[in-house]
């Protein structure tokens, strides 16, 4: 167990020796709200839990792919800056209060040993700043990834829904676009009705409203 005890901590790597979910140890915080900043020297896998004990804000810097294959229950914010974070197998950010994706990618990957419906909180707000959110559905299934509102803050961002012999649907509460930002839907690539994008090959993005500031 690593206890931040109210102190901010930066690490060059957060990697597990074994890839078995839940065996990578625990990061917790018994003090005031703290930030855990993770940089990577290459592709790595985290099989532990950044715990909901105390408030931990997670910042992931740098390139490469950080694969998270176990439940992480921290309740602070998540900021992704560069590279990719992939949630696979039992991987979750199930307690995070808000997500910012800045020139980075967040991948919800249900193609591993298990598909999960709650990798992210269903109402979590996501801010995209030239970032990407990708949902990869399990083969032969009709899969859905649900998130809260998406705010397009700056830059060109991307939403991708990828099915394999089934359907892949991203459900969003609403989309807000700030000046100077844009969003591409990658999947079927057609707008097929009010509040829906995609569906030519089983890919869909559903949203309740779009606003522009």
């Amino acid at each position: 167990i690593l206890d931040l005890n109210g102190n901010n901590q930066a690490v060059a790597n957060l990697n597990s020796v074994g890839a078995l979910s839940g065996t990578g140890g625990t990061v917790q915080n018994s003090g005031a709200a703290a930030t855990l900043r993770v940089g990577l020297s290459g592709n790595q896998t985290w099989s532990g839990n950044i715990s909901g004990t105390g408030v931990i804000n997670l910042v992931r810097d740098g390139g490469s792919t950080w694969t998270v294959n176990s439940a992480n229950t921290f309740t602070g914010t998540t900021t992704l800056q560069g590279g990719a974070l992939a949630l696979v197998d039992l991987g979750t950010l199930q307690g995070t209060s808000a997500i910012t994706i800045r020139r980075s990618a967040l991948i919800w990957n249900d193609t591993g040993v298990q598909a999960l419906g709650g990798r992210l909180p269903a109402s979590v707000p996501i801010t995209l700043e030239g970032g990407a959110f990708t949902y990869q559905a399990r083969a032969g299934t009709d899969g859905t990834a649900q998130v809260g509102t998406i705010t397009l803050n700056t830059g060109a961002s991307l939403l991708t829904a990828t099915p394999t012999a089934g359907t892949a649907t991203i459900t969003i509460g609403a989309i807000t676009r700030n000046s100077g930002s844009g969003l591409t839907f990658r999947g079927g690539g057609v707008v097929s009705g009010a509040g829906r994008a995609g569906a030519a090959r089983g890919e869909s993005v559903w949203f309740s409203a779009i606003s522009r500031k």
Side-chain angles (χ1 to χ4, degrees), residues 128-150:
L128 293 174
E129 299 182 354
F133 177 72
T134 296
Y135 172 52
Q136 298 175 339
R138 195 169 187 82
T141 67
D142 297 328
T144 299
Q146 182 174 344
V147 297
T149 59
I150 287 184

Side-chain angles (χ1 to χ4, degrees), residues 94 96-99 120-126 146-150 171-173:
Q94 63 196 53
T96 190
S97 58
I99 298 172
L120 303 174
S123 60
V124 66
I126 296 177
Q146 182 174 344
V147 297
T149 59
I150 287 184
T171 301
I172 301 164

Side-chain angles (χ1 to χ4, degrees), residues 21-117:
S21 178
T23 63
T26 300
V27 180
Q28 66 181 36
N29 180 27
S30 61
T35 296
L36 175 64
R37 185 178 292 269
V38 179
L40 301 182
S41 58
N43 294 337
Q44 295 179 12
T45 297
W46 169 243
S47 302
N49 178 24
I50 303 173
S51 169
T53 300
V55 176
I56 298 176
N57 299 309
L58 175 66
V59 179
R60 183 262 193 251
D61 293 319
S64 304
T65 297
W66 193 35
T67 299
V68 174
N69 70 359
S70 60
N72 287 266
T73 56
F74 67 94
T75 57
T77 60
T78 300
T79 303
L80 308 179
Q81 302 182 136
L85 189 155
L87 300 172
V88 66
D89 299 340
L90 300 179
T92 71
L93 301 177
Q94 63 196 53
T96 190
S97 58
I99 298 172
T100 298
I101 306 173
R102 181 178 297 128
R103 299 179 302 279
S104 181
L106 176 59
I107 303 168
W108 179 321
N109 184 349
D110 276 347
T111 66
V113 298
Q114 185 169 336
L116 294 180

Side-chain angles (χ1 to χ4, degrees), residues 107-200:
I107 303 168
W108 179 321
N109 184 349
D110 276 347
T111 66
V113 298
Q114 185 169 336
L116 294 180
R119 295 193 188 277
L120 303 174
S123 60
V124 66
I126 296 177
T127 299
L128 293 174
E129 299 182 354
F133 177 72
T134 296
Y135 172 52
Q136 298 175 339
R138 195 169 187 82
T141 67
D142 297 328
T144 299
Q146 182 174 344
V147 297
T149 59
I150 287 184
T151 299
L152 307 175
N153 202 20
T154 59
S157 296
L158 176 67
L159 285 180
T160 302
T162 306
T164 304
T167 64
T169 300
I170 302 173
T171 301
I172 301 164
I175 298 175
T176 298
R177 186 178 77 85
N178 293 325
S179 179
S181 65
L183 181 65
T184 297
F185 298 101
R186 180 174 294 170
V190 298
V191 176
S192 57
R196 188 180 185 188

